Amino acid sequence: QAALAFDPVSPFNDLTNWEDGRRYIAYAYRMHYTNGMSSTTFGPTLEGTLEQYLTFVLRSLGYQDGVDFVWNTTSRDLACELGLLSREELTAIDRDGFKRDHVVAISYRALSCDLQDGSGRLSDRLVSAGIVSKAQLEDAAQYIQ
């Protein structure tokens, strides 16, 4: 809701005419969730990588790239330490590619991770902010293994 209410102005000149998408990207940029591909390009039609997605997830847990990890190198190590991925899964991703089911698994596992500042788990923060309910998290758990 916050993103959809946000002014869609951002420094990226390669965004499509999808108004809601521009709002999401502008919000993510202003909240420091994303940096884009350069100071003026976002790359909305490029295929996402594991390292890019791990960067989003690690930031959502309160970790800072350049401080706690480096997005295209040590993000994998931190992800394994936190339980977002196993070394076996990383090997499979390197062999077979980064797929949508990896996004689902990483996202789901992140819910159980402690926030970097020690203030609780990501799921606790989302519930207390009213973004999801405990019942919704429990419903989702039955579909994800």
Side-chain angles (χ1 to χ4, degrees):
Q1 290 174 341
L4 290 175
F6 204 74
D7 178 1
V9 175
S10 76
F12 308 122
N13 59 22
D14 62 343
L15 300 177
T16 66
N17 292 327
W18 179 39
E19 187 69 22
D20 288 350
R22 289 193 354 235
R23 290 178 188 281
Y24 287 125
I25 293 166
Y27 180 80
Y29 177 76
R30 296 264 175 80
M31 298 299 292
H32 304 284
Y33 300 148
T34 189
N35 296 330
M37 301 299 293
S38 75
S39 62
T40 59
T41 60
F42 185 75
T45 60
L46 299 175
E47 190 172 305
T49 67
L50 171 64
E51 289 77 13
Q52 290 168 335
Y53 191 66
L54 289 177
T55 298
F56 280 120
V57 173
L58 293 171
R59 286 175 181 164
S60 75
L61 294 168
Y63 293 92
Q64 295 179 10
D65 50 325
V67 176
D68 301 306
F69 68 97
V70 177
W71 81 272
N72 59 350
T73 57
T74 61
S75 59
R76 289 171 165 236
D77 296 331
L78 183 55
C80 287
E81 287 174 32
L82 296 174
L84 296 172
L85 287 168
S86 68
R87 292 285 173 195
E88 293 78 18
E89 288 170 315
L90 282 176
T91 300
I93 290 169
D94 288 340
R95 182 186 62 237
D96 303 325
F98 181 54
K99 311 278 190 224
R100 287 183 225 177
D101 65 331
H102 299 122
V103 171
V104 173
I106 292 166
S107 301
Y108 181 72
R109 292 172 187 159
L111 294 170
S112 299
C113 287
D114 290 326
L115 298 170
Q116 193 273 345
D117 66 6
S119 63
R121 296 179 306 168
L122 179 59
S123 60
D124 299 330
R125 177 184 283 169
L126 295 173
V127 169
S128 67
I131 295 169
V132 296
S133 69
K134 286 185 180 185
Q136 288 170 317
L137 292 174
E138 291 167 3
D139 286 345
Q142 68 181 322
Y143 298 105
I144 301 171
Q145 299 301 323

